[in-house]
Amino acid sequence: MSDRSLAGARRRPSRHLPLQVLLGFLVVYFLVPFWWVIVNSSKDAPGLFGGGNTLWFADHVDYLGNLRQLFTYDNGIYGRWILNSTLYAIAGGAGATILSVMAGYGFAKYRFAARRFSFALVLGALMVPATALVIPTFMMFSQLGLTNTIWAVILPSLLNPFGVYLMHVYARDAVPDEILDAARADGAGEIRTFVQVAFPLMRPAVVTVLLLSAVASWNNYFLPLAMLSDNRLFPVTVGLGMWQGIASANNAGSTSLWSLIILGALVSVIPLVIAFFTLQRHWRGGLSVGGLR
Amino acid sequence: MGWLFVGPFGIVFLALLIAPLGYALYLSLFQKKLIGGTSFVFLDNYVKAFTDPSFLSGSWFVIRFSLVSIPLQIIVALAMALILDAVTSLFTRFSRLMIFLPYAIPTVIGAVMWGFLYSKSFGPLTDVFGWFGTTPPDFLSTNLIFYGLVNVVTWQWAGYYMIILYAALQGIDPALYEAARMDGAGKWQIALRIKIPLITPALVLILVFSLIGTLQFFNEPQILRSLAAGTIGPDFTPNMYAYQQAFALANFNYGSAISFALGGIVFVGVYVFLFFTRKRRSFL
């Protein structure tokens, strides 16, 4: 049998109907919360609590009015939370990526003293629960006067041992030693070799690490919850969590806050969903690196 | 020369991982008393933790929760990945993206969203169960919160695990399927005897990640707490208990001891797991 017919066998479209129906049910399950949030963020407080259909739109839909309310409530604190999350995600994500790429490349392509031991430490760190670090990091930062500043959130998110591991695996296979040696023979220094020769070869994994670390920073909750007391520094996760606590604590008194939380949840997920869908080609390729080799 | 590249990460690693761990260990060996100030008590905090009903019940909860939720997530993820690998259509491509969507949602926002859906005052459960003439289960009650949380976690993570497994399945050489077909293997046999064994490294990887994540359970119960205050106490999971001790009661010494003890449980749990799967541990 020729190679061509083997490839054809794999691509032969299969339309197994029962499986597609099962898949349909699963898709509905995964989409229901989004549907509920999209539909109910169109409602005002009376519409939300008025006992209408909870899975369909209100009679009059007023997204713009609701959005205006969301972004003006409490002097526009919500917009600030989104900006804070963006800052934390970009600074933490970019910083963690630069450190991981350099370290992964260093571990993969150089032989130096204590290399094996250091790499074993990094692998061990994959198993340290991130949240076990929150309390002592808070204590250290409070003695340095760093708590309740943006640094309290950005600095801890620079640490990404999984990124180092991913980059190590990727650099080991994707950057041939011969190319590095050729660059050195042409007179390029180590840093220039890294930036101009190795880095372009590692780009798919770099995008994956960047995306994963930015998402981890955007999703962070426990750390900023512990570190920050000024609500103008909150990321959107901590801010919405706080609103939800307030709204639940005085049930009827804050019905309008509930509609803000629902719309706030919807708006807060839009940037990440866009990031994932536009970059999906890159991160999907990168994910298989950690799982396969 | 290698240290030039590894060094910057090394500094961060020392400052933000080794130093806090050392500091937590140090703090956990002391006690602060109203009279007499802070004194060295060696392992007293650990003795206290492992006889503290709050810590023990929280630990027991996360262990039970791992035993139920992790296999469920993996089975759902594996089933979806196998379906998506076997069936090709426009709809399956759309499904793949939609099933992954919850991963793009911060866990906190996911918990907030499910909190809405569970709510008796404006959630859809009352309506949906009303169509069938029954009343809905209250997933925020003491009896059902376990399953309420299992559902949130499965919804959030199954799609991510599915993508990892799917990527691994796509990496298998299709010639193997052809060879198996010539030997008379059917679709089920190919899935069970070829596909699943070949993606074992990816399965081990997601098992380890979900174990580490589940044992430090914090975000979802912390968020649902405000909706289910009577059901989820401040000591619901060890992490929540440590947070309460440190930040609500300013007892940083005991909070550190709980964090450290929890870290120990995670470490032991993961190592026991890796020991039993050591032949297949090709990802490390």
Side-chain angles (χ1 to χ4, degrees):
Chain A
M1 200 172 265
S2 73
D3 280 351
R4 169 172 268 187
S5 66
L6 278 181
R10 179 174 175 85
R11 296 226 179 77
R12 186 174 53 206
S14 163
R15 306 193 189 283
H16 203 284
L17 197 63
L19 288 182
Q20 299 225 34
V21 171
L22 176 65
L23 207 57
F25 279 112
L26 284 167
V27 169
V28 168
Y29 165 70
F30 283 100
L31 289 184
V32 157
F34 296 102
W35 175 250
W36 190 90
V37 166
I38 289 169
V39 161
N40 284 274
S41 53
S42 71
K43 299 175 185 174
D44 52 8
L48 196 57
F49 288 89
N53 190 339
T54 50
L55 288 171
W56 198 247
F57 294 94
D59 291 338
H60 74 146
V61 172
D62 188 13
Y63 277 110
L64 281 181
N66 289 356
L67 277 172
R68 196 173 305 122
Q69 229 190 336
L70 175 67
F71 280 97
T72 52
Y73 182 81
D74 197 6
N75 294 320
I77 190 96
Y78 181 82
R80 225 190 128 117
W81 291 341
I82 293 280
L83 288 178
N84 292 339
S85 280
T86 310
L87 169 71
Y88 300 150
I90 291 175
T97 306
I98 293 168
L99 293 172
S100 307
V101 172
M102 287 175 62
Y105 173 77
F107 277 123
K109 292 295 161 191
Y110 291 92
R111 300 289 166 268
F112 50 91
R115 172 180 158 273
R116 289 181 71 88
F117 173 74
S118 315
F119 194 64
L121 272 185
V122 174
L123 288 183
L126 289 176
M127 272 162 249
V128 175
T131 53
L133 297 172
V134 169
I135 291 172
T137 308
F138 171 84
M139 295 293 281
M140 276 170 36
F141 279 22
S142 93
Q143 277 162 20
L144 298 169
L146 285 173
T147 46
N148 205 25
T149 68
I150 58 169
W151 301 109
V153 181
I154 294 173
L155 289 178
S157 50
L158 296 180
L159 182 77
N160 185 356
F162 184 62
V164 176
Y165 165 70
L166 262 184
M167 287 312 308
H168 168 79
V169 175
Y170 198 86
R172 197 180 53 195
D173 295 349
V175 184
D177 288 331
E178 295 78 17
I179 292 185
L180 297 180
D181 289 338
R184 287 179 190 128
D186 286 348
E190 296 301 318
I191 292 174
R192 203 166 146 205
T193 307
F194 169 69
V195 174
Q196 294 192 342
V197 180
F199 189 80
L201 293 170
M202 298 190 287
R203 200 171 287 149
V206 174
V207 175
T208 308
V209 171
L210 179 64
L211 192 68
L212 292 180
S213 8
V215 167
S217 305
W218 182 282
N219 289 354
N220 213 340
Y221 176 69
F222 192 13
L223 180 86
L225 179 71
M227 290 285 183
L228 304 174
S229 47
D230 179 354
N231 66 16
R232 286 176 311 156
L233 296 179
F234 283 0
V236 70
T237 48
V238 178
L240 283 177
M242 182 187 79
W243 272 2
Q244 205 229 22
I246 296 172
S248 319
N250 46 353
N251 263 315
S254 53
T255 47
S256 61
L257 195 51
W258 277 116
S259 37
L260 292 187
I261 298 168
I262 296 168
L263 185 59
L266 178 65
V267 172
S268 78
V269 305
I270 292 172
L272 277 197
V273 171
I274 291 174
F276 267 106
F277 283 72
T278 50
L279 292 172
Q280 59 152 318
R281 198 153 303 178
H282 301 284
W283 58 257
R284 278 231 317 281
L287 277 179
S288 58
V289 174
L292 267 183
R293 309 201 185 172
Chain B
M1 202 59 216
W3 278 108
L4 177 79
F5 290 102
V6 176
F9 175 79
I11 293 166
V12 170
F13 191 82
L14 286 178
L16 294 164
L17 187 100
I18 303 292
L21 278 182
Y23 194 45
L25 183 63
Y26 169 82
L27 282 174
S28 71
L29 302 177
F30 288 82
Q31 258 172 22
K32 198 174 181 179
K33 298 242 168 64
L34 280 176
I35 304 157
T38 305
S39 59
F40 181 74
V41 296
F42 196 45
L43 296 178
D44 277 13
N45 283 323
Y46 292 95
V47 174
K48 189 177 156 198
F50 282 102
T51 51
D52 183 338
S54 290
F55 178 71
L56 290 178
S57 69
S59 303
W60 178 230
F61 171 79
V62 292
I63 290 169
R64 271 189 307 141
F65 194 78
S66 305
L67 290 175
V68 174
S69 76
I70 294 177
L72 182 69
Q73 291 170 65
I74 307 266
I75 289 168
V76 171
L78 182 60
M80 294 187 301
L82 287 170
I83 294 176
L84 291 172
D85 187 56
V87 185
T88 345
S89 71
L90 206 61
F91 177 65
T92 54
R93 239 163 303 166
F94 167 80
S95 308
R96 201 175 61 213
L97 287 175
M98 294 305 113
I99 289 168
F100 177 76
L101 199 56
Y103 176 70
I105 310 303
T107 52
V108 166
I109 308 297
V112 167
M113 285 159 82
W114 278 103
F116 301 145
L117 290 161
Y118 291 158
S119 156
K120 267 183 276 188
S121 43
F122 49 76
L125 286 178
T126 314
D127 281 0
V128 172
F129 278 80
W131 299 338
F132 301 100
T134 55
T135 49
D138 180 2
F139 285 112
L140 296 171
S141 67
T142 311
N143 287 333
L144 294 179
I145 189 71
F146 185 89
Y147 300 99
L149 287 167
V150 165
N151 173 51
V152 177
V153 170
T154 307
W155 177 83
Q156 188 99 49
W157 292 100
Y160 175 62
Y161 297 148
M162 178 275 286
I163 287 283
I164 293 181
L165 297 177
Y166 177 78
L169 285 171
Q170 296 277 298
I172 298 175
D173 182 357
L176 288 172
Y177 305 146
E178 199 55 39
R181 262 194 290 271
M182 298 222 276
D183 287 346
K187 281 197 163 160
W188 281 100
Q189 280 182 310
I190 290 178
L192 292 176
R193 301 236 185 116
I194 296 180
K195 290 184 177 181
I196 293 178
L198 281 174
I199 59 165
T200 309
L203 281 167
V204 172
L205 179 82
I206 63 177
L207 265 161
V208 168
F209 281 179
S210 54
L211 194 59
I212 294 171
T214 312
L215 291 176
Q216 36 175 340
F217 210 26
F218 179 82
N219 293 2
E220 293 89 344
Q222 180 76 15
I223 285 293
L224 289 180
R225 227 191 117 194
S226 54
L227 297 172
T231 307
I232 301 180
D235 57 353
F236 193 67
T237 72
N239 234 333
M240 290 170 71
Y241 190 45
Y243 176 78
Q244 184 216 16
Q245 286 293 326
F247 295 101
L249 306 176
N251 190 352
F252 287 99
N253 301 100
Y254 192 44
S256 298
I258 294 168
S259 282
F260 219 82
L262 174 65
I265 293 175
V266 174
F267 228 86
V268 169
V270 171
Y271 261 107
V272 166
F273 175 77
L274 286 179
F275 179 79
F276 282 113
T277 56
R278 66 192 184 286
K279 277 183 207 147
R280 298 159 187 239
R281 191 182 28 169
S282 58
F283 79 95
L284 281 186

